[in-house]
Amino acid sequence: MVQMSLQRSVPVYPRCCLSDSLHRVGGSRRRWASCRSQSSRFVYNARPSPIVLKTDHAIDPSEPKNLDASSSASRSGPYIGTCHPSGAAGVMGASSSSSLRFLEKFVSWSTRGGEEAPPFIICNDPLVKKELLPSGTQSTSGCSIALGKIRQKRLFLEQSGACCIVMPCQFLHAWHHEISQGCSVPFLHVGDCVVKELKAANLKPVEYGSNVRVGVLSTDNTLATNCYLDKLESQGFEVLCPDKASMERTVLPSVDAFRKGDMEGARNLLRVSLQVLLVRAVNKIILASDDLVGILPDDDPLLKKCIDPLDALVREAIVCARAPRP
């Protein structure tokens, strides 16, 4: 038994003893609702990592390493050459619930064909998110210290033999550039993964004569913009976000109601938020906040129009972990 909120990283080789994965937005049997209010436990069979960590030298996480262009953090294309022979996925989390959701999907989806799940190394520290959350006005120095701690965890995952690194917590992707700069292995960005799958879907505009429109629903439009807007628009998508009134009257109250246990109120408010975007002819709506995933029941028809970004991140991580290596 391993406590998922451990402050140190644990190399893990899963043996597929997880329950069925979540196959769409909303979750399975509402397991993840309780993860947001209390610590969670993750059960697996593990064997020691064959990788010997060399951590006897000092690491200064405050400044990113300056590497050449071939080791840029957010690569596209085949994962060949730069990947570590171990094929382990490095999972860096700041939320127990999102880390649990990622790991369950990662293990279950990668073993559907009877194969062994790729190994993974997890480093989950919920305190980092609290240090980055704005409280009134957040000092630049405080943010820099928190980012330094995250970079240190990233360096640990690299040294542990990770062939790629993922951050299941969407909140952290607002600082993806700062965290990933100089990373020696592919550092997957949830926005890149979602856009890649949207492009492959060849969506047709809902309205004749318009571009394909994608709605982005988040509890913070600034973070949503940093993660998705530029990436979507660069690929020809038109992006729509809730206006200030919708945020104040439906989106944020929905999350508040969910946290207070008012499921009916949370669901009704979220449905209104989604409908406001759908009437503007959006093809798909990205649930760009972990707080919004799991509110609606599995059979809600509105979920067919929604995207859980974690799904795309899991699929890309499996591809990266299983890519051939020299």
Side-chain angles (χ1 to χ4, degrees), residues 94 126-134 138 171:
L127 295 179
V128 170
K129 184 175 181 179
K130 294 180 180 180
E131 294 174 1
L132 286 173
L133 280 171
Q138 187 174 11
F171 173 80

Side-chain angles (χ1 to χ4, degrees), residues 60-126:
D60 180 6
S62 61
E63 293 296 333
K65 297 180 292 183
N66 292 320
L67 302 181
D68 56 40
S70 64
S71 62
S72 59
S74 188
R75 299 182 186 86
S76 59
Y79 302 113
I80 299 175
T82 58
C83 295
H84 193 281
S86 70
V91 183
M92 191 163 63
S95 166
S96 296
S97 60
S98 59
S99 294
L100 280 167
R101 290 202 308 121
F102 178 89
L103 291 175
E104 183 176 21
K105 292 183 179 187
F106 182 81
V107 172
S108 184
W109 293 3
S110 62
T111 56
R112 284 176 179 172
E115 299 179 76
E116 184 78 8
F120 58 83
I121 310 161
I122 181 168
C123 181
N124 192 76
D125 185 0

Side-chain angles (χ1 to χ4, degrees), residues 144-156:
S144 298
I145 293 173
L147 290 176
K149 293 179 181 178
I150 300 175
R151 277 194 291 267
Q152 189 173 34
K153 295 178 185 355
R154 189 209 79 200
L155 289 169
F156 179 87

Side-chain angles (χ1 to χ4, degrees), residues 9-281:
S9 300
V10 181
V12 178
Y13 289 78
R15 287 293 183 182
C16 191
C17 54
L18 301 177
S19 53
D20 293 337
S21 74
L22 314 181
H23 292 274
R24 57 179 179 175
V25 177
S28 171
R29 298 185 293 277
R30 306 274 68 80
R31 281 181 298 241
W32 306 116
S34 61
C35 292
R36 301 178 186 177
S37 59
Q38 60 185 4
S39 60
S40 305
R41 291 184 178 273
F42 183 67
V43 183
Y44 60 87
N45 294 325
R47 56 186 173 87
S49 170
I51 303 165
V52 178
L53 305 184
K54 297 181 179 180
T55 57
D56 53 349
H57 62 283
I59 298 175
D60 180 6
S62 61
E63 293 296 333
K65 297 180 292 183
N66 292 320
L67 302 181
D68 56 40
S70 64
S71 62
S72 59
S74 188
R75 299 182 186 86
S76 59
Y79 302 113
I80 299 175
T82 58
C83 295
H84 193 281
S86 70
V91 183
M92 191 163 63
S95 166
S96 296
S97 60
S98 59
S99 294
L100 280 167
R101 290 202 308 121
F102 178 89
L103 291 175
E104 183 176 21
K105 292 183 179 187
F106 182 81
V107 172
S108 184
W109 293 3
S110 62
T111 56
R112 284 176 179 172
E115 299 179 76
E116 184 78 8
F120 58 83
I121 310 161
I122 181 168
C123 181
N124 192 76
D125 185 0
L127 295 179
V128 170
K129 184 175 181 179
K130 294 180 180 180
E131 294 174 1
L132 286 173
L133 280 171
S135 54
T137 58
Q138 187 174 11
S139 66
T140 304
S141 60
C143 183
S144 298
I145 293 173
L147 290 176
K149 293 179 181 178
I150 300 175
R151 277 194 291 267
Q152 189 173 34
K153 295 178 185 355
R154 189 209 79 200
L155 289 169
F156 179 87
L157 292 175
E158 290 180 73
Q159 294 175 345
S160 299
C163 71
C164 66
I165 295 176
V166 297
M167 292 191 298
C169 180
Q170 293 190 72
F171 173 80
L172 288 181
H173 283 263
W175 294 273
H176 183 276
H177 176 73
E178 293 85 348
I179 298 170
S180 65
Q181 187 176 354
C183 187
S184 61
V185 298
F187 197 122
L188 306 185
H189 190 293
V190 67
D192 290 331
C193 297
V194 171
V195 172
K196 179 180 178 181
E197 293 196 354
L198 284 172
K199 287 290 291 184
N202 292 319
L203 299 173
K204 305 299 180 183
V206 175
E207 290 183 342
Y208 177 77
S210 66
N211 294 329
V212 173
R213 294 174 182 169
V214 177
V216 179
L217 192 65
S218 175
T219 54
D220 188 319
N221 277 342
T222 301
L223 297 181
T225 298
N226 291 341
C227 288
Y228 298 101
L229 186 112
D230 291 340
K231 296 180 182 298
L232 287 164
E233 290 185 342
S234 67
Q235 295 298 317
F237 294 102
E238 184 178 345
V239 183
L240 298 178
C241 296
D243 56 22
K244 183 179 180 181
S246 296
M247 291 291 292
E248 294 177 349
R249 296 173 185 173
T250 60
V251 181
L252 296 179
S254 173
V255 175
D256 289 340
F258 178 83
R259 290 172 177 170
K260 294 176 181 177
D262 179 10
M263 292 303 300
E264 182 178 359
R267 289 171 177 173
N268 290 337
L269 288 167
L270 181 55
R271 290 186 181 109
V272 172
S273 303
L274 296 173
Q275 292 288 2
V276 168
L277 291 174
L278 290 172
V279 297
R280 299 175 67 184

